């Protein structure tokens, strides 16, 4: 193990390490701690210039109440869920199928199709922006959640297919050959043999895509406007305009907006990290 | 792929689909993904390239102008600023890789609660860049910001990071480094987990330790993690948009624009949309990215062949 386990070091070093660890964490998370503290501060703290000190009084309920009952925030949150969940289902479904095709079958153009998905996944959004916006307008889906979902499914399919295909390549191939010898139809092999083995990959992708799409800002701005269909990332900027310089409300709003992916991460941590670090070890 | 002979015989005399099942099935499975990807990703790339040779306001007729948009770009000072800022992003964003490795080494211990520490260190990556941007812009506030509070303690003057044309881009990059470092850290933590303990022990017996051990024994074994960290950081640097849009909206005096932001501004955010000009900027950005994409694909191709 590298670096040398701290247990093998002198006791003084061990104590130093254990004291420094929480300090380092607090420094690292200082921006977040600040927002959390901001979100329970009273308005007057900011007018009196007490930005970074202790809260003058606890106004958590007032501030969060304001966010939930007196702003468009719940609307934006609902939109975010209505955009994110269908995207997760769509992208995972499409890429499970595509990954199966690319992972199991050796046909001539296999590697080129695979590279098409990989390369497409890396392109800058801006080169897609104008045509995708036009297409969405033409389909009458501009400023709808559906328009955003369709694009997200398509774009995320690139990354997801890369992931699924590499995962399926690691499965024991004799299993599929055995099924074929038994005369099982190919789609049944997908459904009854491969798909159950892909559960960890499906879970990992689902949490990753949830986070990516929840946090998307660019496409939300390009394809939607207004509270009827904008997700919370875009909504928070109009929130910004509504409560100009109201740091306590902005902070409360930001925390509410950030909560779903954070919960997702802590609940599904193992899958999340497995997904992000796929390929980081041979 | 070879089939067992008896299955081949079984298939004869059945329907066309049954006979060609192995050849047809992959295409049936690929069809929906390819359709979506072609319509929303592949075709738009070519449409954008095509559009970059036209003038278009987004509504009326398109007029063919040939390379005119590109000629204009060459003389556009805002384009030059954006391009340079992209270079700065590329260079400084890569600091996330050594920083991530450093934190990973720091956390690669087995003391009580270390798992919780690891996940809390990773935390910034999960939060949307919009929120990160907001938080950092408060941190940088000219009078009330925490940064100036700290600088004040050591007797340094208040600085207005986001209001200063030369500093602002670095301020935004610093904000971007926060989640990106967390990402690189998690990649390296996974990589360190898989480092071969026998090699480490052998190197220790040979007297290697500290930096030498890290550089000659550990880092080479972390190569796959480094490759992924490199890929995601480059892509992240060239995609930077959210932070700029939230923190400075391109200002002050357009000095924090990058190509992705400038393109958006030209095509959508200004009066009289200049879609063709925007597309030309996007094409330049795409070409820069293409260099890296080609390199990534080439590396993957090498690996595929080695299997």
């Amino acid at each position: 193990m590298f670096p040398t386990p701290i247990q093998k070091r002198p006791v003084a070093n061990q104590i130093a390490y254990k004291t420094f660890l929480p300090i380092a964490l607090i420094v690292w998370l200082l921006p977040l701690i600040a927002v959390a503290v901001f979100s329970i501060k009273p308005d007057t703290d900011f007018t009196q210039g007490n930005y970074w000190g202790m809260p003058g009084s606890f106004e958590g309920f007032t501030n969060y109440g304001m966010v939930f009952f007196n702003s468009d925030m719940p609307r934006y949150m609902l939109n975010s869920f209505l955009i994110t969940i269908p995207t997760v289902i769509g992208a995972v479904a499409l890429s499970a199928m595509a990954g199966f095709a690319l992972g199991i079958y050796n046909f001539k153009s296999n590697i080129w199709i695979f590279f098409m998905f990989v390369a497409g996944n890396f392109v800058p959004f801006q080169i897609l922006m104008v045509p995708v916006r036009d297409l969405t307008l033409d389909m009458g889906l501009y400023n709808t959640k559906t328009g955003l979902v369709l694009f997200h499914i398509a774009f995320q399919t690139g990354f997801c297919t890369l992931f699924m295909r590499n995962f399926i390549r690691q499965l024991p191939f004799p299993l599929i050959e055995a099924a074929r010898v038994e005369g099982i139809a190919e789609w049944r092999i997908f459904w009854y043999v491969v798909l159950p083995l892909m559960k960890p990959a499906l879970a990992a992708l689902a949490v990753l895509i949830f986070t990516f799409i929840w946090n998307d800002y660019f496409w939300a701005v390009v394809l939607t406007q207004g509270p009827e269909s904008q997700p919370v990332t875009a909504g928070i900027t109009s929130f910004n305009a509504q409560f100009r310089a109201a740091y306590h409300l902005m902070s409360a709003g930001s925390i509410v907006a950030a909560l779903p992916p954070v919960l997702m991460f802590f609940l599904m941590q193992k899958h999340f990290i497995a997904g992000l670090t796929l390929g980081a070890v041979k | 792929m070879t089939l067992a002979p008896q299955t081949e015989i079984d298939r004869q005399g059945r329907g066309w689909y049954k006979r060609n099942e192995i050849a047809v099935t992959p295409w049936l499975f690929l069809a929906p993904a390819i359709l979506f990807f072609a319509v929303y990703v592949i075709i738009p790339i070519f449409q954008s390239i095509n559009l970059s040779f036209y003038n278009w306001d987004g509504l009326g007729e398109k007029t063919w102008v040939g390379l005119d948009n590109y000629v204009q770009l060459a003389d556009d000072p805002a384009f030059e600023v954006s391009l340079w800022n992209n270079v700065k992003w590329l260079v400084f964003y890569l600091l996330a890789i050594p920083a991530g490795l450093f934190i990973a080494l720091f956390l690669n211990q087995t003391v009580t609660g270390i798992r919780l520490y690891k996940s809390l260190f990773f935390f910034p990556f999960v939060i949307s860049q919009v929120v990160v941007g907001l938080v950092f812009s408060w941190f940088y506030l000219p009078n009330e910001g925490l940064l100036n509070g700290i600088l004040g303690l050591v007797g340094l003057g208040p600085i207005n990071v986001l209001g200063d044309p030369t500093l602002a881009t670095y301020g935004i990059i610093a904000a971007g480094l926060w989640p990106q470092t967390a990402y690189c850290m998690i990649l390296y933590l996974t990589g360190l987990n898989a480092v071969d303990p026998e090699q480490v022990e052998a190197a220790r017996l040979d007297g290697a330790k500290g930096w030498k051990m890290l550089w000659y024994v550990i880092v080479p074994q972390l190569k796959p993690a480094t490759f992924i960290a490199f890929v995601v950081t480059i892509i992240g640097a060239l995609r930077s948009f959210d932070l700029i849009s939230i923190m400075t909206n391109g200002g002050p005096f357009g000095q924090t624009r990058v190509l992705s932001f400038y393109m958006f501004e030209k095509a959508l955010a200004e009066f009289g949309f200049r879609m063709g000009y925007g597309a030309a900027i996007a094409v330049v950005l795409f070409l820069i990215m293409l260099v890296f994409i080609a390199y990534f694909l080439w590396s993957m191709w090498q690996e595929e062949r080695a299997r």
Side-chain angles (χ1 to χ4, degrees):
Chain A
M1 199 169 154
F2 186 84
T4 315
I6 198 81
Q7 287 83 350
K8 288 185 187 167
R9 301 258 185 186
V11 179
N13 287 24
Q14 292 187 31
I15 294 169
Y17 181 77
K18 282 178 189 163
T19 358
F20 189 58
L21 207 51
I23 297 173
L25 182 70
I26 289 171
V27 172
W28 182 246
L29 291 183
L30 207 55
L32 281 178
I33 297 168
V35 184
V37 176
F38 270 27
S39 76
I40 57 160
K41 279 185 161 219
D43 192 15
T44 48
D45 271 10
F46 296 99
T47 48
Q48 289 165 5
N50 173 19
Y51 275 68
W52 308 94
M54 289 303 282
S57 58
F58 176 79
E59 298 296 336
F61 291 114
T62 336
N63 295 346
Y64 285 93
M66 191 79 179
V67 168
F68 274 110
F69 302 113
N70 255 328
S71 76
D72 283 329
M73 211 54 173
R75 190 86 177 269
Y76 288 124
M77 291 288 281
L78 181 66
N79 289 342
S80 271
F81 279 111
L82 291 177
I83 291 163
T84 308
I85 294 169
T87 304
V88 168
I89 297 170
V92 169
L94 287 191
S95 61
M97 288 164 62
F100 172 74
L102 295 173
I104 300 286
Y105 301 89
N106 279 323
F107 51 97
K108 230 181 189 170
S109 44
N110 185 314
I111 194 85
W112 297 109
I113 292 176
F114 177 57
F115 278 178
M116 174 191 83
F117 282 117
V118 178
N121 159 53
F122 290 142
V123 299
F125 295 149
Q126 281 70 18
I127 197 141
L128 312 177
M129 188 184 99
V130 175
V132 167
R133 188 173 172 274
D134 278 346
L135 178 68
T136 310
L137 277 167
D138 287 345
M139 292 193 298
L141 294 175
Y142 180 76
N143 199 22
T144 63
K145 293 182 268 292
T146 318
L148 207 48
V149 167
L150 287 177
F151 172 77
H152 279 318
I153 291 180
F155 193 80
Q156 294 304 326
T157 297
F159 169 73
C160 295
T161 302
L162 160 71
F163 189 98
M164 290 286 189
R165 181 261 192 192
N166 285 350
F167 189 87
I168 290 173
R169 279 274 154 122
Q170 291 169 356
L171 296 178
F173 193 70
L175 214 60
I176 288 137
E177 279 177 326
R180 281 195 183 141
V181 172
E182 297 284 326
I184 297 171
E186 296 293 312
W187 69 268
R188 282 173 169 271
I189 295 180
F190 171 71
W191 193 255
Y192 293 107
V193 180
V194 176
L195 210 53
L197 294 171
M198 272 159 58
K199 271 182 198 152
L202 298 173
L205 271 185
V207 277
L208 277 186
I209 301 303
F210 183 92
T211 312
F212 292 165
I213 300 303
W214 185 278
N215 290 340
D216 164 70
Y217 175 69
F218 181 77
W219 291 103
V221 179
V222 171
L223 296 180
T224 57
Q225 48 187 193
E228 336 53 274
S229 44
Q230 269 192 330
V232 74
T233 43
I236 205 140
T237 44
S238 35
F239 196 71
N240 201 352
Q242 190 185 348
F243 300 106
R244 187 162 293 283
Y247 295 104
H248 53 305
L249 297 180
M250 285 296 296
S251 301
S254 303
I255 288 188
V256 170
L259 219 49
V262 167
L263 281 180
M264 199 67 148
F265 166 65
F266 276 105
L267 294 177
M268 309 273 291
Q269 210 180 121
K270 201 184 80 193
H271 292 299
F272 193 97
I273 290 174
L276 270 185
T277 57
L278 181 95
V281 285
K282 281 264 161 62
Chain B
M1 185 171 315
T2 50
L3 284 165
Q6 65 264 51
T7 30
E8 202 70 75
I9 295 159
D10 278 351
R11 277 167 211 284
Q12 283 175 6
R14 304 227 201 131
W16 179 88
Y17 173 71
K18 268 288 160 205
R19 270 180 282 123
N20 296 292
E21 196 177 5
I22 298 276
V24 174
T25 313
W27 294 103
L28 292 178
F29 273 91
L30 276 171
I34 291 186
L35 179 76
F36 263 74
F37 209 65
V39 168
Y40 273 107
V41 182
I42 305 298
I43 297 170
I45 294 175
F46 294 100
Q47 285 173 325
S48 273
I49 296 173
N50 182 44
L51 186 63
S52 71
F53 302 115
Y54 288 86
N55 266 345
W56 188 40
D57 63 2
L59 295 168
E61 284 293 299
K62 295 174 191 166
T63 37
W64 169 266
V65 291
L67 286 173
D68 214 34
N69 285 327
Y70 293 94
V71 175
Q72 272 189 53
L73 273 185
D75 283 328
D76 182 349
F79 174 75
E80 202 185 319
V81 169
S82 311
L83 198 59
W84 272 113
N85 279 339
N86 262 112
V87 174
K88 285 182 200 162
W89 269 90
L90 275 176
V91 172
F92 290 100
Y93 214 47
L94 285 173
L95 287 176
I97 297 177
L101 175 61
F102 178 78
I103 298 180
L105 289 170
F106 174 63
L107 291 177
N108 194 31
Q109 294 289 352
T110 46
V111 296
T112 24
I114 196 73
R115 282 192 47 162
L116 186 63
Y117 276 106
K118 287 176 185 169
S119 21
L120 286 172
F121 264 89
F122 180 66
F123 207 37
F125 181 75
V126 188
I127 299 164
S128 115
Q129 298 234 324
V130 174
V131 176
V132 172
L134 280 175
V135 175
F136 269 79
S137 54
W138 299 337
F139 178 71
Y140 290 140
L141 280 175
N143 297 310
E144 307 86 356
L146 190 58
L147 178 68
N148 280 317
I150 296 167
L151 286 177
L153 288 181
V154 290
L156 288 171
I159 45 168
N160 181 2
V161 178
L162 297 180
D164 182 321
T166 45
L167 277 180
T169 290
Y170 297 105
I172 302 174
I173 296 174
L177 277 174
W178 190 46
Q180 192 65 26
T181 302
Y183 191 175
C184 294
M185 175 206 80
I186 209 82
L187 288 169
Y188 278 123
L189 275 174
T190 313
L192 281 171
N193 234 341
V195 162
D196 180 8
E198 282 181 18
Q199 277 193 41
V200 178
E201 279 318 306
R204 255 190 204 130
L205 290 178
D206 287 340
K209 56 183 178 185
W211 293 108
K212 271 206 161 146
M213 172 81 109
L214 177 65
W215 188 251
Y216 292 106
V217 182
I218 307 297
V219 169
Q221 291 193 60
L222 293 175
K223 209 179 146 204
T226 308
F227 177 71
I228 296 187
F230 184 69
V231 173
V232 295
T233 307
I234 295 280
I235 303 285
L238 290 173
R239 279 208 180 139
S240 52
F241 173 89
D242 302 5
L243 287 174
I244 297 164
S245 161
I246 297 293
M247 293 175 76
T248 61
N249 206 17
F253 316 115
Q255 292 299 307
T256 54
R257 287 181 184 129
V258 291
L259 290 180
S260 62
F261 186 83
Y262 188 45
M263 184 277 165
F264 176 82
E265 219 178 41
K266 275 290 163 200
L268 287 185
E270 258 185 11
F271 287 106
F273 297 167
R274 293 194 62 192
M275 300 281 186
Y277 197 62
I281 302 169
V283 169
V284 174
L285 181 60
F286 176 67
L287 291 177
I288 298 172
M289 199 83 107
L290 208 55
V291 176
F292 292 104
I293 295 176
Y295 167 70
F296 301 152
L297 286 182
W298 183 76
S299 308
M300 287 178 68
W301 170 247
Q302 296 285 350
E303 210 167 286
E304 285 292 319
R305 281 204 318 192
R307 267 188 200 166

